[in-house]
């Protein structure tokens, strides 16, 4: 499907090929471009006659690379789409287990959610870092895009659900449960969504109002997975009580219970293209395929040596299913090919037996194994919308990208992800020392990408408050890296759109020269109250002589270079004259408000409310990298 335009040495496995180590060219990385394959298919495609295709079959030769077609062009050849080749491994600067991987609807970026509550976006072609944000306060456990591609909802460990726009602007948050939410799914028309929680319940919410509509109870233990049928009003859920239940979302009634597994159900998913099959996997090292028309299991998927933690259907091939195990393995199954091991008789499908209702399920073995895909459990799998790249997130804190091998390519089947590091090193396809050096170089490249991405999205700096003068910022502006901590920023008094406070002093008090009175109060009555001791004496005016008012303590001495005329409007009385002996201070030279270093009128008027910068488009990002000389123009 894809054509790997190599930016530097090595292939899609990160830059190492053969027994020797070849150093990686700084600033270059392999790029997977699907444009040429799509253009070729759109140019030569013809209407399918009875579901068939008249395209030429690919052959295992490098000369057929130019004739590669996308998976949607060969809907009946699922074997051509099996992702056996490792493309890239992406990891954050601060590493956390990756709980969720989700491609954006247009396929330009991959969203990963970690146990720290962070969202990370990776480029969909070069797989480099784009941006990171703190989305939740606790670990993100589930996320799903709407069918209209306009919304993203995510759920975390504390039972909080958040609504996100495509530009990742958070518009709503609601407390859906008090326990961790394990899975979430949209209805076919996006008007509702359902959640599965550790409190053993499923809840259906109205999306527009964020209100709970119904609670489905029936599981006897934690609900671990839920999925809404792509076209029907039908729910499926899996629980820690080993049961798979089908629900009617309108009435909240449990339609049936499937008892095929013998341990905790880890994932349930309807087949997206036709909707006739249901896939389930559990911690009993097996996965099962149920036919909704027969309401029974028709396939038993074996091959995992440990618990099966997740699974995913291919978006176009209804017979291609991928599972991830708790030991880090990724297995690909073709449901129409049993792939029985040597010396084992293949079983018969229930459709071909004389009694389909009572025939045992057909045993399917994996068509391809990635036994060492990750070092620890694989938590999430997701296909690119075009179906040519598979992304996997694991407990080893790494996000990996996989794709099909190009025609005639065989070295990718001998790498460490298929054989393990020891066996690959024995065959000369992996060098432990060079591999570690390569991993360090990849980490350094990811750090550079993350630093560049964060610099490109710097926010206005937040001004700390100057003690003693409310509303005025201190001379120091923001942090060292130029980022802000969020929230609305205060404005200096009398600057910008914030008016100065009204003066509380009115006419001068009788018997107190230079001392103004209080607006709305009789000056004579106010002076009498002070004389009788019922009110404390007011402070002397700015620049007044303390000796003119008896009984008042002298004010603290002012600095010699204090300039009253440079104070902001509203802070000094009108028609105020400088007292003798106060020379004007030198101008600090800061534009904006004179006399207050670090406070600019333009910055104050802007308000400096933190807003996330728009995400760069893929075309603009690629053009910018080409201008920097990191990528060459694709041929």
């Amino acid at each position: 499907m894809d054509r790997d335009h190599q930016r530097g040495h090595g292939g899609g496995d990160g830059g190492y090929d053969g027994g020797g180590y070849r150093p990686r060219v700084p600033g270059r990385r392999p790029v997977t471009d699907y444009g040429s394959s799509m253009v070729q298919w759109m140019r030569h495609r013809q209407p399918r006659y009875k579901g068939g295709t008249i395209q030429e079959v690919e052959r295992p030769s490098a000369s057929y690379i130019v004739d590669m077609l996308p998976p949607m062009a060969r809907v009946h050849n699922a074997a051509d789409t099996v992702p056996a080749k490792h493309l890239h491994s992406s990891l954050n600067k601060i590493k956390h287990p990756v709980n969720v991987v989700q491609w954006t609807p247009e396929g330009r970026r991959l969203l990963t959610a970690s146990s720290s509550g962070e969202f990370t976006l990776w480029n969909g072609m070069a797989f480099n870092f784009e941006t990171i944000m703190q989305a939740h306060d606790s670990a993100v456990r589930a996320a799903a895009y709407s069918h209209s591609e306009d919304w993203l909802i995510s759920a975390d460990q504390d039972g909080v659900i958040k609504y996100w726009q495509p530009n990742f602007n958070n518009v709503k948050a609601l407390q859906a449960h008090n326990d961790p939410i394990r899975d979430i799914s949209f209805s076919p028309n996006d008007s509702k969504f359902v959640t599965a929680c550790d409190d053993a319940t499923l809840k259906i919410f109205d999306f527009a109002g964020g209100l709970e509509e119904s609670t489905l109870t029936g599981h006897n233990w934690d609900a671990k997975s839920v999925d809404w049928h792509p076209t029907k009003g039908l729910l499926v859920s899996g629980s820690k009580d080993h049961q798979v239940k089908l629900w009617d979302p309108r009435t909240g009634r449990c339609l049936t219970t499937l008892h095929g597994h013998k341990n905790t159900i880890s994932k349930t998913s309807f087949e997206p293209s036709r909707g006739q099959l249901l896939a389930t996997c559990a911690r009993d090292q097996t996965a099962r395929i149920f036919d909704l028309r027969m309401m029974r299991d028709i396939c038993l998927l074996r091959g995992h040596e440990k618990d099966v933690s997740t699974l995913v259907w291919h978006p176009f091939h209804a017979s291609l299913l991928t599972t991830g195990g708790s030991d880090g393995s990724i297995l690909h199954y073709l449901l129409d090919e049993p792939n029985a091991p040597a010396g084992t008789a293949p079983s018969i499908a229930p459709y071909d037996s004389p009694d389909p209702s009572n025939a045992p399920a057909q045993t399917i073995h994996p068509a391809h194994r990635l036994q060492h895909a990750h070092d620890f459990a694989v938590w999430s799998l997701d296909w690119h919308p075009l179906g040519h790249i598979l992304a996997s997130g694991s407990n080893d804190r790494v996000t990996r990208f996989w794709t099909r091998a190009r025609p005639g390519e065989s070295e990718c089947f001998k790498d460490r992800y298929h054989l393990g590091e020891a066996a690959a090193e024995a065959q000369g396809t992996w060098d432990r020392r060079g591999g570690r050096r390569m991993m360090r170089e990849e980490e350094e490249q990811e750090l550079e990408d993350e630093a560049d991405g964060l610099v490109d999205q710097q926010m206005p700096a937040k001004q700390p408050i100057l003690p003693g003068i409310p509303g005025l910022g201190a001379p120091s502006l923001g942090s060292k890296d130029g980022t802000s901590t969020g929230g609305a920023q205060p404005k200096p008094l009398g600057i910008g759109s914030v008016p100065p406070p009204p003066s509380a002093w009115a006419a001068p008090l009788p018997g107190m020269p230079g001392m103004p009175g209080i607006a709305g109060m009789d000056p004579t009555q106010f002076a009498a109250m002070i004389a009788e001791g019922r009110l404390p004496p007011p402070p002397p005016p700015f620049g007044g002589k303390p000796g003119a008012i008896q009984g008042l303590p002298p004010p603290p001495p002012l600095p010699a270079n204090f300039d009253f005329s440079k104070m902001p409007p509203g802070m000094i009385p009108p028609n105020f004259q400088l007292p003798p002996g106060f020379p004007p201070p030198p101008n600090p030279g800061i534009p904006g408000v004179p006399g207050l270093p670090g406070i600019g009128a333009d910055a104050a008027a802007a308000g400096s409310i933190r807003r996330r910068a728009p995400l760069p488009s893929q075309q603009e990002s690629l053009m910018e990298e080409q201008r920097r000389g990191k990528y060459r123009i694709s041929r």
Side-chain angles (χ1 to χ4, degrees):
M1 159 61 197
D2 50 71
R3 302 183 182 182
D4 294 343
H5 300 285
Q6 304 302 333
R7 313 302 186 216
H9 298 290
D13 55 353
Y16 176 78
D17 188 13
Y21 172 76
R22 295 190 295 182
R24 177 178 178 177
V25 179
R28 297 187 178 182
R29 62 169 70 246
V31 175
T32 302
D33 183 12
Y34 51 82
S36 57
S37 302
M38 291 294 297
V39 169
Q40 181 178 357
W41 175 56
M42 295 175 66
R43 180 182 299 174
H44 300 290
R45 63 179 176 176
Q46 299 180 11
R48 298 192 185 102
Y49 177 69
K50 294 184 178 180
T53 179
I54 57 176
Q55 299 284 349
E56 183 181 1
V57 178
E58 294 179 2
R59 301 174 186 266
S61 173
S63 61
Y64 281 82
I65 294 178
V66 296
D67 298 325
M68 294 176 66
L69 295 177
M72 63 183 68
R74 302 182 183 274
V75 293
H76 295 287
N77 296 335
D80 292 342
T81 315
V82 173
K85 178 182 177 181
H86 172 255
L87 280 178
H88 187 74
S89 297
S90 299
L91 62 160
N92 292 85
K93 178 172 62 175
I94 302 177
K95 305 175 184 63
H96 297 280
V98 181
N99 295 335
V100 179
V101 293
Q102 189 82 29
W103 286 94
T104 56
E106 77 283 354
R108 291 183 178 180
R109 297 174 180 89
L110 176 74
L111 169 69
T112 62
S114 66
S115 60
S116 63
E118 295 175 333
F119 280 173
T120 306
L121 285 178
W122 307 93
N123 188 278
M125 293 180 61
F127 317 117
N128 59 293
F129 170 87
E130 286 203 356
T131 187
I132 189 171
M133 61 180 296
Q134 188 68 40
H136 287 263
D137 297 331
S138 60
V140 181
R141 294 298 179 186
Y145 272 97
S146 63
H147 297 86
S148 64
E149 305 178 356
D150 293 333
W151 294 96
L152 169 72
I153 53 176
S154 59
D156 64 13
Q157 181 80 11
D158 297 334
V160 176
I161 294 178
K162 290 189 177 183
Y163 292 15
W164 306 88
Q165 292 176 331
N167 61 351
F168 293 95
N169 178 34
N170 180 220
V171 298
K172 190 179 184 64
L174 57 96
Q175 186 72 42
H177 295 267
N178 294 323
D179 293 314
I181 298 176
R182 296 298 177 177
D183 206 355
I184 195 167
S185 180
F186 268 104
S187 65
N189 59 0
D190 297 334
S191 63
K192 306 178 190 306
F193 63 89
V194 61
T195 61
C197 181
D198 279 355
D199 58 7
T201 63
L202 309 177
K203 288 187 178 182
I204 300 177
F205 290 84
D206 176 69
F207 176 75
L211 302 176
E212 177 186 342
E213 290 192 348
S214 59
T215 301
L216 310 183
T217 59
H219 282 294
N220 300 319
W221 216 343
D222 303 354
K224 295 296 184 181
S225 178
V226 69
D227 192 24
W228 205 308
H229 195 278
T231 58
K232 298 177 173 28
L234 183 65
L235 298 176
V236 61
S237 64
S239 171
K240 202 173 179 180
D241 59 3
H242 313 173
Q243 296 179 358
V244 176
K245 290 181 177 291
L246 295 174
W247 307 82
D248 183 358
R250 301 177 183 85
T251 62
R253 183 172 60 93
C254 178
L255 301 177
T256 187
T257 301
L258 306 175
H259 301 273
H261 291 282
K262 300 178 181 179
N263 210 323
T264 301
I265 309 297
S266 53
K267 186 69 175 178
T268 58
S269 178
F270 289 109
E271 197 278 315
S273 60
R274 301 178 183 175
Q276 298 174 353
L277 301 179
L278 166 66
T280 63
C281 63
R283 298 182 63 180
D284 57 2
Q285 306 178 13
T286 64
R288 291 180 179 268
I289 307 299
F290 293 85
D291 192 330
L292 299 179
R293 297 165 296 182
M294 303 171 63
M295 205 57 69
R296 56 150 297 176
D297 54 339
I298 58 172
C299 294
L300 173 62
L301 310 185
R302 296 187 178 273
H304 278 279
E305 300 175 359
K306 298 291 183 180
D307 304 342
V308 186
S309 54
T310 186
L311 58 80
V312 64
W313 291 95
H314 192 273
F316 301 108
H317 299 301
S319 61
L320 179 55
L321 182 73
T322 301
T323 60
S326 60
D327 57 352
S329 61
I330 296 178
L331 275 58
H332 307 289
Y333 295 88
L334 297 176
L335 303 184
D336 50 2
E337 297 182 10
N339 294 300
T344 304
S347 58
I348 301 176
Y351 303 119
D352 300 331
S353 64
D355 188 6
S357 300
N358 299 321
Q362 184 182 21
T363 302
I364 305 293
H365 295 271
H368 186 79
R369 293 173 179 264
L370 286 166
Q371 197 65 40
H372 306 276
H374 287 272
D375 296 333
F376 298 103
V378 179
W379 292 134
S380 181
L381 296 168
D382 194 36
W383 280 99
H384 190 280
L386 293 179
H388 69 293
I389 295 179
L390 175 69
S392 60
S394 170
N395 201 44
D396 61 4
R397 306 178 176 92
V398 179
T399 302
R400 290 200 166 102
F401 299 86
W402 314 85
T403 189
R404 56 160 295 184
R406 292 177 292 185
E409 191 172 16
S410 59
E411 290 296 327
C412 62
F413 299 99
K414 302 177 183 178
D415 59 7
R416 63 189 181 100
Y417 303 106
H418 289 81
L419 306 178
E421 293 186 358
E425 189 174 12
Q427 289 198 6
T429 58
W430 169 255
D431 179 52
R432 191 178 301 271
R433 182 179 303 176
R436 291 174 180 174
R437 189 184 314 167
M438 180 186 63
M439 291 178 61
R440 287 196 301 267
E441 292 178 359
E442 289 182 352
E443 290 184 5
E444 293 174 359
Q445 181 66 37
E446 296 296 346
L447 293 179
E448 294 177 5
D449 294 340
E450 185 166 349
D452 293 342
L454 295 179
V455 167
D456 293 340
Q457 301 180 41
Q458 282 186 357
M459 301 299 163
K462 180 180 179 180
Q463 301 176 3
I465 302 302
L466 183 67
I469 306 181
L472 292 184
S476 175
L477 289 178
S479 60
K480 295 181 180 180
D481 58 354
T483 58
S484 66
T485 56
Q489 314 298 327
K491 300 179 180 180
L493 295 176
I495 300 177
S497 60
V498 180
S503 177
W505 302 102
L509 296 178
M512 297 182 181
M515 179 61 65
I518 297 180
M521 188 173 185
D522 186 8
T524 305
Q525 182 182 1
F526 184 70
M529 294 173 65
I530 294 179
E532 296 175 0
R534 289 183 291 173
L535 290 178
F542 291 107
K545 297 181 179 180
I549 304 177
Q550 298 180 0
L552 294 181
L558 296 176
N561 59 348
F562 190 82
D563 191 353
F564 289 95
S565 63
K566 303 300 182 179
M567 295 185 66
M571 298 296 295
I572 58 176
N575 302 325
F576 175 75
Q577 298 296 330
L578 276 176
F582 284 90
N587 192 349
I590 302 298
V593 180
L596 293 178
I599 302 300
D602 296 338
S608 63
I609 298 177
R610 177 176 181 176
R611 298 183 184 275
R612 174 163 294 278
L615 297 175
S617 65
Q618 188 178 30
Q619 181 179 5
E620 294 175 355
S621 302
L622 184 57
M623 293 177 62
E624 179 63 25
E625 296 298 325
Q626 290 176 354
R627 282 194 293 268
R628 297 179 182 178
K630 295 184 178 181
Y631 299 140
R632 72 184 184 197
I633 300 177
S634 59
R635 294 174 296 178

